[in-house]
Amino acid sequence: MRTQLLIGGQWSDGADGDTLDVLNPATGELVASVAAGSSADASRAVGVAADAQKAWAATPPRQRAEVLRNCWSVLLDHQEELAQLITAEHGKPLVDARGEISYAAEFFRWNSEEAVRIEGSIRTAPGGANRIIVHHPPIGVVVMITPWNFPAAMITRKVAPALAAGNAVVIKPAPDTPLTALRVGELLEEAGVPAGLVNIVPTNDAAGWFEAAVAQPATRMVSFTGSTQTGRALLKVASGRVLRTAMELGGNAPFIVFDDADLDAAVEGAMVAKMRHSAETCTAANRFFVHSRVADEFTKKLSAAMGAVKVGAGTDPDVSCGPMINEAAIEKISSLVDSAVGAGATVALGGAKVDGPGHFFEPTVLGGVKAGDPITSEEIFGPVAPVIPFIDTDEMIAHANDTEMGLAAYVYTADIGRGLSVSERLEYGMVGLNRGAMSDPAAPFGGMKQSGIGREGGSEGIYEFCETQYIAAGW
Ligand code: SIN
């Protein structure tokens, strides 16, 4: 297990000798003590990255692509080991942790294919005096702040396109889950990523670390996944140097079920959209708008499916919902459930935290929730499904859009025309139509409104890490 900072291909303690403790959220036990970097370490890492980036940017795209393809296969070769690490520090069931590694590795395969297809253009200026040549060089050094809910995949989703485009990166992994990040960094070097291109510097001092990294002249971009609140704070700091930013922020996903939908399929999709990775995803269904003609039946079927979920430590093969990341998460979920019940919701299933050790919450279904109740305006990030019956489609869409968030939405109906027209009216960057899963390295992941800036994945993703240069060429 790697527990030191990775800077320039070397492992070291932080300049201040500081450490952070990684706890297993299923047991509260110490997994490891990890070196915690200071602002001096962040600055040093940016300098090292800037040096390494020059040679990498000059490396032919085909060669970069081959290194990335190798990263895909090396990560898969270590799938079991990485999955065990994720489960130890994050808590998610091993089956999900294994799935996360396939997902994480796929960002490398996809971006190895994109590395050789960065397009430019040439056209004649309208006045005829010159040609307009447009091309896309790399940006330089990208500072990345990554979350705990996907300790591997939220790193590779950023690193793979950044490297494909010819950049170097400095990563601050979440303090709850630095072990996976450090091991992924080590494996990328084993796969042929030159030393200094991927630097990983966990810290206890997120604000000081970030300010120092952003202040370095070589830093040209910030890429962040996490809450909208933190995203706003980072944007303020990054604006001081007018840096490019890519932000994957919070969600408040509506899951809409029309009365013609196949209810069993809708419940199956709901279980994925709600419970995937222990319900700790920003795409998680947060509000279930169900036509009142089928609301009772849907609630009953969803409660049966949620009731069959075994909650416990991710190492138990029968468990499909692991612990929440910490006690603060449990307190937030409890208070949202209490406020919904206080506002008149009925508890169809669950409703309470599970006694420790560990941070567990019962899979919960709430019936008769009203649009506008506090639980409908906050990202729950836990295994709670509030069901809001609706009659009028226009009114329901207005409620679904009545939020500053706009990441993911889901629609279930047998009428594909209605499904598409409702999807187009939803102010969300991604819509699952008769599908509870939408995440795919080959598709542009990202949100509208305060859910983010930019897209990760798809053919769009690599351009987030590219500059645009125009040459007015006369010949
Ligand atoms: C996230 O929760 O931040 C990402 C979810 C996903 O990639 O599916």
Side-chain angles (χ1 to χ4, degrees), residues 103 107 147 149-150 153-154 157 225-226 248-249 276-277 280-284 379 381 407 430 438-440 445 456:
Y103 182 41
F107 286 103
N149 63 340
F150 286 81
M154 294 305 102
R157 178 146 86 187
T225 296
E248 293 300 343
L249 307 177
R276 188 174 157 256
H277 296 265
E280 295 177 309
T281 69
C282 57
T283 51
E379 191 172 22
F381 239 67
L407 188 63
M430 300 177 284
M438 65 205 9
S439 304
D440 185 338
F445 186 104
E456 292 183 330

Side-chain angles (χ1 to χ4, degrees), residues 210-421:
F210 184 67
E211 276 165 26
V214 159
Q216 294 301 304
T219 297
R220 296 289 166 77
M221 177 173 175
V222 171
S223 177
F224 170 67
T225 296
S227 72
T228 297
Q229 193 188 359
T230 304
R232 273 191 215 109
L234 299 183
L235 282 167
K236 271 192 196 143
V237 177
S239 73
R241 286 203 52 241
V242 196
L243 295 179
R244 169 89 62 97
T245 54
M247 298 271 141
E248 293 300 343
L249 307 177
N252 182 3
F255 188 104
I256 297 162
V257 183
F258 284 98
D259 53 354
D260 62 351
D262 172 341
L263 283 194
D264 292 323
V267 167
E268 203 180 303
M271 290 303 289
V272 177
K274 177 78 249 179
M275 296 301 286
R276 188 174 157 256
H277 296 265
S278 305
E280 295 177 309
T281 69
C282 57
T283 51
N286 212 52
R287 299 169 288 160
F288 289 80
F289 291 98
V290 183
H291 195 281
S292 60
R293 265 197 288 272
V294 294
D296 284 348
E297 195 183 346
F298 177 85
T299 306
K300 222 183 280 162
K301 284 177 184 266
L302 182 63
S303 301
M306 292 277 272
V309 166
K310 184 170 176 195
V311 176
T315 44
D316 177 341
D318 296 329
V319 159
S320 56
C321 183
M324 302 295 100
I325 192 70
N326 52 34
E327 204 46 36
I330 295 287
E331 276 162 27
K332 179 183 172 190
I333 299 164
S334 300
S335 96
L336 285 172
V337 169
D338 291 349
S339 71
V341 172
T346 52
V347 179
L349 180 79
K353 66 182 268 194
V354 177
D355 287 340
H359 316 294
F360 297 97
F361 202 89
E362 295 173 339
T364 295
V365 179
L366 302 175
V369 175
K370 290 184 285 305
D373 285 356
I375 198 164
T376 67
S377 55
E378 292 256 354
E379 191 172 22
I380 304 167
F381 239 67
V384 178
V387 178
I388 308 161
F390 76 89
I391 295 172
D392 183 75
T393 299
D394 290 340
E395 203 176 286
M396 177 276 293
I397 291 175
H399 285 310
N401 285 335
D402 185 19
T403 163
E404 277 301 322
M405 301 303 145
L407 188 63
Y410 305 85
V411 180
Y412 271 78
T413 172
D415 177 348
I416 199 74
R418 166 154 76 175
L420 285 169
S421 78

Side-chain angles (χ1 to χ4, degrees), residues 54-112:
K54 289 181 187 63
W56 182 244
T59 302
R62 170 72 70 214
Q63 227 170 297
R64 295 204 296 256
E66 276 161 12
V67 171
L68 263 66
R69 179 100 184 172
N70 209 28
C71 293
W72 166 67
S73 88
V74 167
L75 289 178
L76 288 182
D77 288 347
H78 293 81
Q79 182 169 29
E80 190 55 33
E81 173 210 333
L82 287 166
Q84 298 276 351
L85 209 46
I86 289 178
T87 296
E89 63 179 351
H90 172 279
K92 69 178 70 176
L94 270 171
V95 63
D96 287 342
R98 291 184 192 112
E100 180 179 342
I101 295 306
S102 305
Y103 182 41
E106 192 58 34
F107 286 103
F108 281 100
R109 179 161 66 164
W110 173 259
N111 283 287
S112 74

